[in-house]
Amino acid sequence: MTLWLMAGLLFTPLAWAVLTLLTDFTRGRLVTWGGILVQVLVSLGLWLVVSRDGGFYYALGGWQAPLGIELRVDGLAVTFVLLTAVVASACGFHAGVYIDPDKPWHRYFWPLFWFLWSGLNAVWLGGDLFNLYVGLELISLSAVGLVALGGKAGALRASLRYLLAALLGSLAYLLGVALIYGQFGTLSIAGIVFWLEEHPVPAGSSLALALMVAGLALKTALFPLHRWLPPAHGIAKSPVSALLSALVVKASFYIAARLWLELGEPLGNLAAAQLVGLLGSAAVVWGSWLACRQMELKQVVAYSSVAQIGYLFLLFPLTYSVSESVSLQAQQGITLQVISHALAKAAMFLAAGNLVLSTGSRRVDALTGVSRFLPFSLFSFALAGVSLMSLPPSGGFAAKWLLLQASLGSGQWWWVLVLLVGGLLSAVYVFRICRASFLESPETNQFYHPHRSLEIIPMILALLSLGLGLVSAEVLSVMALPFEEEGSP
Amino acid sequence: MTAPLLYALAGAMLCGIGLFGLLWLSHLLRKLLAFNIMGSGVFLVMVGLPQHQGGPDPVPQALVLTGIVVAIAATALAVVLIRRYYHLSGMTSLEGDPASREGGAE
């Protein structure tokens, strides 16, 4: 049973990437729908298996650790696998209708989409540092390709910027990996932890951790390394922006978070933890402020991503030398923030894409009067905004509530201010878009009406993000499941 | 100075040169070459630093092989994008384009 689930999870995206390479856009869409069905079923199956039996290590193809690829299937990983399945299939269905099938280069959307998906699954499940690197590169290269699909000079420029930033980030990460291997003689995260239990911390290994985290922070667009993100996410086609903001930046963060949780205590220090937290807070404030000032709709959403990513990095100070319960609260809060932001931001980008399609302009002030023509998309946008503003009962509220408790529980009250200011500023930029849409103007009555299914998909995502707060306990319960330690290297 | 340390330091130096080029040079092809130099530095650290009972360790060699494949793929993608960008805009660097202002206030 597990064999088939794992095979389905890792093999189908790669197989579908090759299959869709051979077809044109329309046929590729049909093939993709089949693949999405398989992926959703397999992800759901794996989630059910783990929530029933707990996590386990899985050696791919029966090859054991140093030689083969060992996958770590735990509650958090399957939760993200399932999240990927939900968001990516929504974006896949949306793209099938949204993207113009007549432009010949658009047929490469499907192969890139599937390579992206396989890279994401590899990162969620990867257990050793080098395979995580390969997964990250697969994600980055296909994401860059997806941004470049826009085809115009601006899109290529943004994708080149993105590519250079991503490559620099991966090299910094890989240099850290090289140092770690030189130091510990193993690449598996569990193996390093095991080694550290028996030996004193070697000098210079903090540098390796710092390099890896810095590289990953660049790939996650942490302030002040965020400047590649808004052009890339803003100019890409809306389903692509949704995939990038919702999932791609989370992959590099996920690796950084796992490194920190496993190796932060022995190799990190308090100053570094506080510094990362401070940069995250700066991202929240600066990103939200810039989001309020953007003239283009999708740039607003992209800068809002910079801000929301900032919250994630509060994980570093809130889990360093604090009590077990506070650390757990912080981890749960961050997990919920990742999930709710992924759902809300995907909904927001897809809805923004509909609004852009309808008004024929990317500018915020062109939205005048769109509330009468596209109320459904605008409503999805606002509902997703509710989650970003972290109002109850949304997933964003539950996430920030947990983070608030963790900040107070660890005596680091200053992060509470960041949570409050960030919430207020996000309300400002969401309301700004809504206000622009409700203004009436006599001369603008030319609206194109997008296909009905384009409007339903963001609504579903926004509702999921909103409802996440109600079922957060169930979602988080999978994370705390026992994990079989045998088979650990 | 031991041999592994020498390799590691040479690799670190190459990384430094590459990083300088990547950040300082504006021509896109030069940036790409700088990335490749930096990559070579990382690979040198990776192969040179770990020693297995006095001899070379086989695992990092296998890793570097994969790393080279990834670097080639990245380089190929970058070359395609740079060429296409040059065709469309006639420019070889990312600086000084009015289009860069479309990001807004920043």
Side-chain angles (χ1 to χ4, degrees), chain B residues 4-29:
Chain B
L5 208 57
L6 191 68
Y7 283 125
L9 285 179
M13 244 162 79
L14 276 179
C15 272
I17 296 171
L19 181 65
F20 174 79
L22 202 57
L23 298 179
W24 196 257
L25 302 172
S26 68
H27 195 291
L28 282 168
L29 280 179

PDB file of all heavy atoms in Angstrom, chain B residues 4-29:
ATOM      1  N   PRO B   4      43.451  18.802   2.709  1.00  0.00           N
ATOM      2  CA  PRO B   4      42.015  19.142   2.682  1.00  0.00           C
ATOM      3  C   PRO B   4      41.776  20.624   2.929  1.00  0.00           C
ATOM      4  O   PRO B   4      40.945  21.246   2.265  1.00  0.00           O
ATOM      5  CB  PRO B   4      41.425  18.312   3.816  1.00  0.00           C
ATOM      6  CG  PRO B   4      42.401  17.287   4.155  1.00  0.00           C
ATOM      7  CD  PRO B   4      43.734  17.736   3.680  1.00  0.00           C
ATOM      8  N   LEU B   5      42.538  21.178   3.857  1.00  0.00           N
ATOM      9  CA  LEU B   5      42.344  22.586   4.187  1.00  0.00           C
ATOM     10  C   LEU B   5      42.728  23.469   3.001  1.00  0.00           C
ATOM     11  O   LEU B   5      42.072  24.476   2.713  1.00  0.00           O
ATOM     12  CB  LEU B   5      43.206  22.931   5.409  1.00  0.00           C
ATOM     13  CG  LEU B   5      42.659  24.073   6.253  1.00  0.00           C
ATOM     14  CD1 LEU B   5      41.249  23.759   6.711  1.00  0.00           C
ATOM     15  CD2 LEU B   5      43.564  24.320   7.444  1.00  0.00           C
ATOM     16  N   LEU B   6      43.789  23.059   2.300  1.00  0.00           N
ATOM     17  CA  LEU B   6      44.240  23.822   1.142  1.00  0.00           C
ATOM     18  C   LEU B   6      43.145  23.859   0.073  1.00  0.00           C
ATOM     19  O   LEU B   6      42.804  24.914  -0.467  1.00  0.00           O
ATOM     20  CB  LEU B   6      45.505  23.170   0.583  1.00  0.00           C
ATOM     21  CG  LEU B   6      46.258  23.984  -0.458  1.00  0.00           C
ATOM     22  CD1 LEU B   6      46.861  25.221   0.188  1.00  0.00           C
ATOM     23  CD2 LEU B   6      47.359  23.137  -1.098  1.00  0.00           C
ATOM     24  N   TYR B   7      42.569  22.652  -0.196  1.00  0.00           N
ATOM     25  CA  TYR B   7      41.469  22.584  -1.159  1.00  0.00           C
ATOM     26  C   TYR B   7      40.319  23.489  -0.728  1.00  0.00           C
ATOM     27  O   TYR B   7      39.749  24.240  -1.516  1.00  0.00           O
ATOM     28  CB  TYR B   7      40.949  21.155  -1.262  1.00  0.00           C
ATOM     29  CG  TYR B   7      41.813  20.228  -2.064  1.00  0.00           C
ATOM     30  CD1 TYR B   7      42.277  19.045  -1.511  1.00  0.00           C
ATOM     31  CD2 TYR B   7      42.136  20.524  -3.386  1.00  0.00           C
ATOM     32  CE1 TYR B   7      43.061  18.178  -2.239  1.00  0.00           C
ATOM     33  CE2 TYR B   7      42.929  19.657  -4.115  1.00  0.00           C
ATOM     34  CZ  TYR B   7      43.393  18.488  -3.542  1.00  0.00           C
ATOM     35  OH  TYR B   7      44.155  17.643  -4.263  1.00  0.00           O
ATOM     36  N   ALA B   8      39.972  23.399   0.554  1.00  0.00           N
ATOM     37  CA  ALA B   8      38.823  24.159   1.053  1.00  0.00           C
ATOM     38  C   ALA B   8      39.071  25.656   0.917  1.00  0.00           C
ATOM     39  O   ALA B   8      38.178  26.404   0.498  1.00  0.00           O
ATOM     40  CB  ALA B   8      38.550  23.793   2.506  1.00  0.00           C
ATOM     41  N   LEU B   9      40.278  26.065   1.237  1.00  0.00           N
ATOM     42  CA  LEU B   9      40.561  27.500   1.148  1.00  0.00           C
ATOM     43  C   LEU B   9      40.551  27.971  -0.303  1.00  0.00           C
ATOM     44  O   LEU B   9      40.014  29.046  -0.612  1.00  0.00           O
ATOM     45  CB  LEU B   9      41.916  27.813   1.788  1.00  0.00           C
ATOM     46  CG  LEU B   9      41.906  27.793   3.321  1.00  0.00           C
ATOM     47  CD1 LEU B   9      43.285  28.089   3.875  1.00  0.00           C
ATOM     48  CD2 LEU B   9      40.903  28.808   3.854  1.00  0.00           C
ATOM     49  N   ALA B  10      41.142  27.152  -1.194  1.00  0.00           N
ATOM     50  CA  ALA B  10      41.096  27.516  -2.615  1.00  0.00           C
ATOM     51  C   ALA B  10      39.652  27.614  -3.090  1.00  0.00           C
ATOM     52  O   ALA B  10      39.274  28.556  -3.813  1.00  0.00           O
ATOM     53  CB  ALA B  10      41.856  26.479  -3.429  1.00  0.00           C
ATOM     54  N   GLY B  11      38.827  26.653  -2.666  1.00  0.00           N
ATOM     55  CA  GLY B  11      37.403  26.676  -3.027  1.00  0.00           C
ATOM     56  C   GLY B  11      36.725  27.919  -2.499  1.00  0.00           C
ATOM     57  O   GLY B  11      35.958  28.589  -3.197  1.00  0.00           O
ATOM     58  N   ALA B  12      37.024  28.262  -1.245  1.00  0.00           N
ATOM     59  CA  ALA B  12      36.409  29.451  -0.646  1.00  0.00           C
ATOM     60  C   ALA B  12      36.820  30.698  -1.408  1.00  0.00           C
ATOM     61  O   ALA B  12      36.014  31.613  -1.627  1.00  0.00           O
ATOM     62  CB  ALA B  12      36.817  29.556   0.820  1.00  0.00           C
ATOM     63  N   MET B  13      38.098  30.715  -1.880  1.00  0.00           N
ATOM     64  CA  MET B  13      38.559  31.883  -2.628  1.00  0.00           C
ATOM     65  C   MET B  13      37.809  31.999  -3.955  1.00  0.00           C
ATOM     66  O   MET B  13      37.369  33.083  -4.346  1.00  0.00           O
ATOM     67  CB  MET B  13      40.052  31.776  -2.884  1.00  0.00           C
ATOM     68  CG  MET B  13      40.859  32.857  -2.207  1.00  0.00           C
ATOM     69  SD  MET B  13      42.575  32.403  -2.121  1.00  0.00           S
ATOM     70  CE  MET B  13      43.119  32.760  -3.770  1.00  0.00           C
ATOM     71  N   LEU B  14      37.685  30.844  -4.643  1.00  0.00           N
ATOM     72  CA  LEU B  14      36.921  30.856  -5.894  1.00  0.00           C
ATOM     73  C   LEU B  14      35.501  31.363  -5.652  1.00  0.00           C
ATOM     74  O   LEU B  14      34.952  32.135  -6.437  1.00  0.00           O
ATOM     75  CB  LEU B  14      36.856  29.444  -6.482  1.00  0.00           C
ATOM     76  CG  LEU B  14      38.031  28.989  -7.339  1.00  0.00           C
ATOM     77  CD1 LEU B  14      37.796  27.574  -7.813  1.00  0.00           C
ATOM     78  CD2 LEU B  14      38.162  29.909  -8.540  1.00  0.00           C
ATOM     79  N   CYS B  15      34.899  30.904  -4.550  1.00  0.00           N
ATOM     80  CA  CYS B  15      33.544  31.359  -4.196  1.00  0.00           C
ATOM     81  C   CYS B  15      33.521  32.870  -4.040  1.00  0.00           C
ATOM     82  O   CYS B  15      32.590  33.538  -4.509  1.00  0.00           O
ATOM     83  CB  CYS B  15      33.112  30.746  -2.871  1.00  0.00           C
ATOM     84  SG  CYS B  15      32.345  29.185  -3.058  1.00  0.00           S
ATOM     85  N   GLY B  16      34.555  33.376  -3.366  1.00  0.00           N
ATOM     86  CA  GLY B  16      34.617  34.823  -3.146  1.00  0.00           C
ATOM     87  C   GLY B  16      34.695  35.571  -4.467  1.00  0.00           C
ATOM     88  O   GLY B  16      33.976  36.554  -4.683  1.00  0.00           O
ATOM     89  N   ILE B  17      35.574  35.081  -5.378  1.00  0.00           N
ATOM     90  CA  ILE B  17      35.719  35.735  -6.684  1.00  0.00           C
ATOM     91  C   ILE B  17      34.382  35.711  -7.426  1.00  0.00           C
ATOM     92  O   ILE B  17      33.924  36.714  -7.979  1.00  0.00           O
ATOM     93  CB  ILE B  17      36.807  35.019  -7.516  1.00  0.00           C
ATOM     94  CG1 ILE B  17      38.163  35.156  -6.823  1.00  0.00           C
ATOM     95  CG2 ILE B  17      36.868  35.580  -8.918  1.00  0.00           C
ATOM     96  CD1 ILE B  17      39.244  34.300  -7.448  1.00  0.00           C
ATOM     97  N   GLY B  18      33.749  34.529  -7.406  1.00  0.00           N
ATOM     98  CA  GLY B  18      32.471  34.386  -8.093  1.00  0.00           C
ATOM     99  C   GLY B  18      31.410  35.309  -7.521  1.00  0.00           C
ATOM    100  O   GLY B  18      30.667  35.964  -8.255  1.00  0.00           O
ATOM    101  N   LEU B  19      31.368  35.374  -6.191  1.00  0.00           N
ATOM    102  CA  LEU B  19      30.362  36.215  -5.533  1.00  0.00           C
ATOM    103  C   LEU B  19      30.566  37.679  -5.921  1.00  0.00           C
ATOM    104  O   LEU B  19      29.615  38.392  -6.252  1.00  0.00           O
ATOM    105  CB  LEU B  19      30.470  36.054  -4.019  1.00  0.00           C
ATOM    106  CG  LEU B  19      29.477  36.853  -3.193  1.00  0.00           C
ATOM    107  CD1 LEU B  19      28.082  36.349  -3.461  1.00  0.00           C
ATOM    108  CD2 LEU B  19      29.786  36.753  -1.714  1.00  0.00           C
ATOM    109  N   PHE B  20      31.835  38.092  -5.916  1.00  0.00           N
ATOM    110  CA  PHE B  20      32.156  39.461  -6.308  1.00  0.00           C
ATOM    111  C   PHE B  20      31.643  39.737  -7.721  1.00  0.00           C
ATOM    112  O   PHE B  20      30.966  40.735  -7.978  1.00  0.00           O
ATOM    113  CB  PHE B  20      33.672  39.663  -6.229  1.00  0.00           C
ATOM    114  CG  PHE B  20      34.142  40.989  -6.731  1.00  0.00           C
ATOM    115  CD1 PHE B  20      34.038  42.111  -5.943  1.00  0.00           C
ATOM    116  CD2 PHE B  20      34.669  41.112  -8.012  1.00  0.00           C
ATOM    117  CE1 PHE B  20      34.457  43.337  -6.406  1.00  0.00           C
ATOM    118  CE2 PHE B  20      35.094  42.328  -8.483  1.00  0.00           C
ATOM    119  CZ  PHE B  20      34.986  43.452  -7.681  1.00  0.00           C
ATOM    120  N   GLY B  21      31.947  38.798  -8.646  1.00  0.00           N
ATOM    121  CA  GLY B  21      31.521  38.985 -10.023  1.00  0.00           C
ATOM    122  C   GLY B  21      30.004  39.032 -10.147  1.00  0.00           C
ATOM    123  O   GLY B  21      29.443  39.872 -10.855  1.00  0.00           O
ATOM    124  N   LEU B  22      29.350  38.139  -9.422  1.00  0.00           N
ATOM    125  CA  LEU B  22      27.889  38.043  -9.521  1.00  0.00           C
ATOM    126  C   LEU B  22      27.227  39.334  -9.056  1.00  0.00           C
ATOM    127  O   LEU B  22      26.222  39.774  -9.609  1.00  0.00           O
ATOM    128  CB  LEU B  22      27.418  36.860  -8.669  1.00  0.00           C
ATOM    129  CG  LEU B  22      26.078  36.239  -8.991  1.00  0.00           C
ATOM    130  CD1 LEU B  22      26.057  35.775 -10.429  1.00  0.00           C
ATOM    131  CD2 LEU B  22      25.800  35.074  -8.074  1.00  0.00           C
ATOM    132  N   LEU B  23      27.792  39.944  -8.033  1.00  0.00           N
ATOM    133  CA  LEU B  23      27.176  41.149  -7.494  1.00  0.00           C
ATOM    134  C   LEU B  23      27.647  42.407  -8.221  1.00  0.00           C
ATOM    135  O   LEU B  23      26.885  43.363  -8.362  1.00  0.00           O
ATOM    136  CB  LEU B  23      27.501  41.288  -6.000  1.00  0.00           C
ATOM    137  CG  LEU B  23      26.991  40.167  -5.109  1.00  0.00           C
ATOM    138  CD1 LEU B  23      27.389  40.410  -3.679  1.00  0.00           C
ATOM    139  CD2 LEU B  23      25.478  40.034  -5.217  1.00  0.00           C
ATOM    140  N   TRP B  24      28.909  42.406  -8.693  1.00  0.00           N
ATOM    141  CA  TRP B  24      29.504  43.638  -9.162  1.00  0.00           C
ATOM    142  C   TRP B  24      29.327  43.851 -10.658  1.00  0.00           C
ATOM    143  O   TRP B  24      29.047  44.957 -11.106  1.00  0.00           O
ATOM    144  CB  TRP B  24      30.997  43.654  -8.794  1.00  0.00           C
ATOM    145  CG  TRP B  24      31.607  44.986  -8.893  1.00  0.00           C
ATOM    146  CD1 TRP B  24      32.409  45.442  -9.895  1.00  0.00           C
ATOM    147  CD2 TRP B  24      31.445  46.075  -7.996  1.00  0.00           C
ATOM    148  NE1 TRP B  24      32.767  46.738  -9.659  1.00  0.00           N
ATOM    149  CE2 TRP B  24      32.182  47.155  -8.499  1.00  0.00           C
ATOM    150  CE3 TRP B  24      30.741  46.238  -6.789  1.00  0.00           C
ATOM    151  CZ2 TRP B  24      32.241  48.379  -7.856  1.00  0.00           C
ATOM    152  CZ3 TRP B  24      30.804  47.457  -6.151  1.00  0.00           C
ATOM    153  CH2 TRP B  24      31.543  48.507  -6.679  1.00  0.00           C
ATOM    154  N   LEU B  25      29.503  42.794 -11.453  1.00  0.00           N
ATOM    155  CA  LEU B  25      29.436  42.952 -12.906  1.00  0.00           C
ATOM    156  C   LEU B  25      27.994  43.147 -13.340  1.00  0.00           C
ATOM    157  O   LEU B  25      27.073  42.636 -12.700  1.00  0.00           O
ATOM    158  CB  LEU B  25      30.017  41.716 -13.578  1.00  0.00           C
ATOM    159  CG  LEU B  25      31.466  41.400 -13.207  1.00  0.00           C
ATOM    160  CD1 LEU B  25      31.870  40.064 -13.772  1.00  0.00           C
ATOM    161  CD2 LEU B  25      32.382  42.484 -13.727  1.00  0.00           C
ATOM    162  N   SER B  26      27.806  43.875 -14.433  1.00  0.00           N
ATOM    163  CA  SER B  26      26.419  44.104 -14.848  1.00  0.00           C
ATOM    164  C   SER B  26      26.060  43.304 -16.100  1.00  0.00           C
ATOM    165  O   SER B  26      24.899  42.976 -16.299  1.00  0.00           O
ATOM    166  CB  SER B  26      26.187  45.596 -15.092  1.00  0.00           C
ATOM    167  OG  SER B  26      26.931  45.997 -16.219  1.00  0.00           O
ATOM    168  N   HIS B  27      27.046  42.956 -16.938  1.00  0.00           N
ATOM    169  CA  HIS B  27      26.731  42.176 -18.133  1.00  0.00           C
ATOM    170  C   HIS B  27      26.237  40.792 -17.710  1.00  0.00           C
ATOM    171  O   HIS B  27      26.849  40.118 -16.888  1.00  0.00           O
ATOM    172  CB  HIS B  27      27.988  42.053 -18.998  1.00  0.00           C
ATOM    173  CG  HIS B  27      27.704  41.592 -20.384  1.00  0.00           C
ATOM    174  ND1 HIS B  27      27.272  40.324 -20.654  1.00  0.00           N
ATOM    175  CD2 HIS B  27      27.771  42.220 -21.576  1.00  0.00           C
ATOM    176  CE1 HIS B  27      27.090  40.194 -21.962  1.00  0.00           C
ATOM    177  NE2 HIS B  27      27.378  41.339 -22.546  1.00  0.00           N
ATOM    178  N   LEU B  28      25.111  40.386 -18.302  1.00  0.00           N
ATOM    179  CA  LEU B  28      24.469  39.157 -17.822  1.00  0.00           C
ATOM    180  C   LEU B  28      25.335  37.926 -18.041  1.00  0.00           C
ATOM    181  O   LEU B  28      25.365  37.028 -17.200  1.00  0.00           O
ATOM    182  CB  LEU B  28      23.124  38.990 -18.523  1.00  0.00           C
ATOM    183  CG  LEU B  28      22.026  39.881 -17.951  1.00  0.00           C
ATOM    184  CD1 LEU B  28      20.823  39.895 -18.864  1.00  0.00           C
ATOM    185  CD2 LEU B  28      21.617  39.397 -16.583  1.00  0.00           C
ATOM    186  N   LEU B  29      26.048  37.864 -19.184  1.00  0.00           N
ATOM    187  CA  LEU B  29      26.889  36.688 -19.435  1.00  0.00           C
ATOM    188  C   LEU B  29      28.038  36.616 -18.430  1.00  0.00           C
ATOM    189  O   LEU B  29      28.419  35.545 -17.981  1.00  0.00           O
ATOM    190  CB  LEU B  29      27.436  36.722 -20.859  1.00  0.00           C
ATOM    191  CG  LEU B  29      26.466  36.260 -21.937  1.00  0.00           C
ATOM    192  CD1 LEU B  29      27.108  36.360 -23.302  1.00  0.00           C
ATOM    193  CD2 LEU B  29      25.996  34.836 -21.690  1.00  0.00           C
TER     194      LEU B  29
END
